[in-house]
Amino acid sequence: EEVGGDYCQIRFPDRTTCYITMCDVMGHGMASALLATRISSEVRYGIMYRREPCEIVASLERFTQDYFGHTGLFLTFVAVKIDLDCMELTYSGAGHPSPFVLRPQGREPLELPAQNPVIGLGITDDGAVGQDSVALEAGDRLFLFTDGLFEVLDAKERQLGVRGFTDVAKTTMGRNLFEVADDVLQRVL
């Protein structure tokens, strides 16, 4: 309903590799939206050259410092690379809400916490940017999201919160994959 700075992109640089990136520039308005668009373009280069998620995060920190350091704009970001042959997910988060992997048979979701601070603070050293890997199993579902999905308030002014959003997401495990997004948005509303 308003101009904001969130984006998500999914890219397959080859048949066996999938990259998913998500960004949330803090704040609303044209400046946040324009920076998110510029970040999206910059990330494409990292994907095109098949960089590791931590390398993409490090390059975004350098990029924002070089070109947008004076603006006072900061962003949360997560980069995920999935090797479809090995069924391995490698990720690097920078202050972004922790994605999670839903597991079948009622097992608890696997949280993928951010390893790095928010981008734009100028405190990330290239060599210190973290990333982790996890093995995926048949039936797993990866959930990436921004804070707008769990910061919603109900009629009594109670926030859904991350735990409440996770519970909403867990109810989708039996749903057709192509219905999940609509189902989650409907439940959040």
Side-chain angles (χ1 to χ4, degrees):
E1 294 179 0
E2 56 186 65
V3 176
D6 295 28
Y7 91 84
C8 176
Q9 67 176 304
I10 301 169
R11 299 223 174 253
F12 287 84
D14 58 54
R15 295 182 61 138
T16 63
T17 309
C18 175
Y19 282 85
I20 306 167
T21 59
M22 186 170 279
C23 171
D24 183 1
V25 179
M26 295 177 185
H28 297 280
M30 196 57 70
S32 295
L34 290 172
L35 180 55
T37 300
R38 189 60 186 95
I39 293 295
S40 174
S41 296
E42 191 67 23
V43 167
R44 284 188 200 136
Y45 289 107
I47 293 171
M48 183 172 66
Y49 293 111
R50 293 170 179 75
R51 293 195 174 120
E52 290 298 313
C54 66
E55 295 170 325
I56 294 172
V57 169
S59 71
L60 285 182
E61 179 63 41
R62 287 189 308 275
F63 174 76
T64 56
Q65 285 303 306
D66 290 349
Y67 297 101
F68 298 95
H70 63 285
T71 65
L73 292 170
F74 308 101
L75 58 114
T76 66
F77 181 79
V78 63
V80 174
K81 181 178 92 171
I82 302 172
D83 181 324
L84 299 170
D85 280 339
C86 300
M87 292 299 289
E88 182 178 64
L89 178 151
T90 303
Y91 74 100
S92 184
H96 198 77
S98 300
F100 52 87
V101 177
L102 290 180
R103 299 257 149 108
Q105 288 97 27
R107 293 171 30 215
E108 281 304 303
L110 176 63
E111 183 180 357
L112 308 176
Q115 308 93 330
N116 308 292
V118 168
I119 292 176
L121 297 175
I123 58 174
T124 303
D125 175 14
D126 281 3
V129 175
Q131 78 176 18
D132 291 297
S133 295
V134 297
L136 294 174
E137 302 169 9
D140 284 352
R141 288 189 175 176
L142 174 63
F143 266 75
L144 284 91
F145 52 94
T146 63
D147 56 10
L149 281 175
F150 62 83
E151 290 179 348
V152 297
L153 301 174
D154 66 12
K156 294 181 181 178
E157 297 293 313
R158 293 176 300 201
Q159 191 176 71
L160 178 61
V162 174
R163 181 182 213 111
F165 177 73
T166 303
D167 289 343
V168 166
K170 285 171 30 176
T171 67
T172 67
M173 278 306 283
R175 305 282 303 195
N176 177 303
L177 187 60
F178 296 102
E179 298 171 353
V180 170
D182 289 337
D183 188 53
V184 167
L185 290 175
Q186 186 60 43
R187 289 174 188 265
V188 167
L189 288 175

